[in-house]
Amino acid sequence: MKTIIAACSQNLSGSRASIQTALRTLLAVPWPSQRDVGSALQLLAVLQWVLSFLLLGTVSLLLLIYLLFTSLWLIPVLYLAWIIFDWDTPEKGGRRLPCLRRWTVWKHFRDYFPVKLVKTHDLSPSHNYIIGSHPHGILCVGAFCNFITGSTGFEELFPGIRSFLTTLAGNFRLPVFREYLMSGGLFPVTRRAIGYLLSQKGTGNAVAIVIGGAAESLSCRPGVTTLILKNRKGFVRVALRHGAFLVPSFSFGENDLFRQVVFEEDSWMRSIQRRFQKMIGFAPCLFYGRGLTSCRSRGFLPYARPITTVVGEPVAVPKVENPSRELVDRYHELYIRALLKLFNENKTKYGLSESDELHII
């Protein structure tokens, strides 16, 4: 018996020693610094945003289709009935949730790049506005961060102004994804939806439109500043019908977030991209960014490059119920002049050289 007790005592002593050694080793490992924790939170914030925009709609659709063939078939049936009943809501003001705009995760999202909003002129709450957002880039990071989230202080810089952002109408046909978009304050880029915001919500509304659209994303690459704007005049016509002032804005650094494989205009790959754009509303791009584990690896996350969105001087627009083509052309030209002025006055401040030019096609 004494032999057994002695053996147990030796084992317990050995166990205590092992535990103490493990604890000392654990305590010797340096804890993550506040900077490391912040960087991880920023990366996760960007990751959830990218996955939401790239996968949420498709995954939700596939999941609902799968549930139709299971014992939970009633869930997709009821949701489909809800979508039919709720079909016009995105074009009638949507369902914006202010708490989502103030979500803490957007501050980490902002700090990852970082994104900054610069004001050059006041916007009076007694008017409505259409803000032209340039360039499109790959995922419109600057437009989203500044006009949808409250992380860059839009409401503080422009008191009394409510900002909205438009996106492809087809996105609002995807289940669950439509609810996500509406809750954040996004609307279809249709005349009906924009007209509702400019006529049924009083004054002090600023509707941001990424005018170049999906076609502009095809020419997105670092060092090139090309905008598709010359024949995009529908936003001017809408502004005239509602008397909404036109405001140019430019996000310096937007085209530096990804690397894209750009095909020549006469190539068969470019023709395929054009056909897809006409059929489904957006152009499939072959692009890459950084990986999840290292900025030196390749992946689908944007590179951490600073984005500065400068909001320019508003162009006063009269209210004309049926504007003529000449009137639309006149204010379209005034808008382009204001945009060029904004670009040239700020390009050297935010990463471009004096010789860089803004190409409008």
Side-chain angles (χ1 to χ4, degrees):
M1 179 64 70
K2 292 181 179 179
T3 303
I4 295 174
I5 293 174
C8 290
S9 299
Q10 290 177 357
N11 289 336
L12 289 173
S13 299
S15 299
R16 283 195 295 269
S18 299
I19 293 173
Q20 290 173 354
T21 301
L23 288 174
R24 282 195 294 268
T25 303
L26 181 62
L27 293 174
V29 175
W31 289 88
S33 65
Q34 187 175 1
R35 181 179 180 181
D36 293 335
V37 173
S39 298
L41 290 174
Q42 293 168 15
L43 192 63
L44 289 174
V46 174
L47 176 64
Q48 66 82 26
W49 180 79
V50 171
L51 291 179
S52 296
F53 271 84
L54 294 182
L55 298 178
L56 180 58
T58 303
V59 171
S60 299
L61 179 61
L62 294 176
L63 178 60
L64 290 175
I65 293 174
Y66 169 75
L67 291 177
L68 280 172
F69 301 96
T70 69
S71 58
L72 301 176
W73 60 269
L74 188 59
I75 294 177
V77 169
L78 291 176
Y79 184 71
L80 177 61
W82 162 252
I83 287 181
I84 294 174
F85 173 79
D86 195 56
W87 191 259
D88 291 335
T89 298
E91 293 188 325
K92 292 184 177 180
R95 281 188 298 273
R96 183 174 183 172
L97 298 178
C99 60
L100 190 62
R101 183 182 178 90
R102 298 189 297 269
W103 203 14
T104 304
V105 72
W106 301 132
K107 295 182 180 179
H108 299 301
F109 181 87
R110 172 201 64 195
D111 294 338
Y112 170 84
F113 298 96
V115 182
K116 181 182 179 181
L117 181 65
V118 175
K119 167 186 173 181
T120 61
H121 293 78
D122 291 330
L123 299 181
S124 171
S126 60
H127 297 290
N128 283 325
Y129 302 89
I130 289 181
I131 300 178
S133 179
H134 311 275
H136 182 282
I138 297 294
L139 293 179
C140 303
V141 172
F144 177 86
C145 191
N146 289 297
F147 303 128
I148 288 299
T149 79
S151 61
T152 56
F154 183 92
E155 294 179 349
E156 290 74 24
L157 287 174
F158 302 100
I161 304 296
R162 298 176 295 275
S163 62
F164 306 91
L165 180 64
T166 58
T167 185
L168 289 173
N171 289 331
F172 295 88
R173 305 297 178 248
L174 295 172
V176 181
F177 191 45
R178 70 191 293 273
E179 322 301 340
Y180 176 78
L181 293 177
M182 284 193 292
S183 65
L186 284 101
F187 296 86
V189 61
T190 62
R191 292 183 180 180
R192 183 184 180 190
I194 298 171
Y196 186 94
L197 294 173
L198 297 177
S199 62
Q200 303 297 321
K201 294 279 189 176
T203 59
N205 302 295
V207 182
I209 304 175
V210 186
I211 298 169
E216 194 172 275
S217 63
L218 294 178
S219 59
C220 167
R221 59 185 185 273
V224 177
T225 312
T226 302
L227 305 182
I228 296 180
L229 179 59
K230 187 173 293 185
N231 295 318
R232 299 289 177 99
K233 301 179 181 180
F235 72 102
V236 178
R237 188 176 298 276
V238 172
L240 284 165
R241 285 177 175 172
H242 297 279
F245 288 14
L246 293 169
V247 183
S249 72
F250 195 93
S251 293
F252 294 91
E254 182 74 45
N255 285 348
D256 298 331
L257 304 182
F258 293 95
R259 301 292 184 268
Q260 181 181 181
V261 180
V262 179
F263 301 99
E264 297 297 330
E265 284 297 331
D266 298 330
S267 65
W268 64 275
M269 281 299 296
R270 178 53 69 97
S271 65
I272 291 177
Q273 289 177 317
R274 296 293 188 192
R275 289 175 184 175
F276 264 90
Q277 180 190 333
K278 292 180 179 178
M279 288 190 297
I280 60 179
F282 67 91
C285 303
L286 297 179
F287 66 89
Y288 64 89
R290 59 156 291 177
L292 182 60
T293 57
S294 171
C295 60
R296 295 181 179 86
S297 61
R298 290 188 179 184
F300 56 89
L301 295 179
Y303 292 107
R305 302 287 188 269
I307 303 172
T308 304
T309 301
V310 185
V311 180
E313 182 178 4
V315 177
V317 175
K319 185 175 182 179
V320 181
E321 188 67 28
N322 294 302
S324 64
R325 179 181 299 180
E326 292 76 16
L327 190 63
V328 171
D329 290 344
R330 184 195 310 169
Y331 280 94
H332 184 262
E333 180 62 30
L334 290 175
Y335 176 83
I336 290 179
R337 290 180 187 175
L339 177 61
L340 289 171
K341 178 183 177 184
L342 174 70
F343 177 83
N344 290 324
E345 288 180 350
N346 293 277
K347 61 183 179 181
T348 57
K349 300 178 184 177
Y350 306 113
L352 300 180
S353 65
E354 188 65 43
S355 60
D356 285 322
E357 296 182 354
L358 186 62
H359 302 283
I360 297 177
I361 60 175

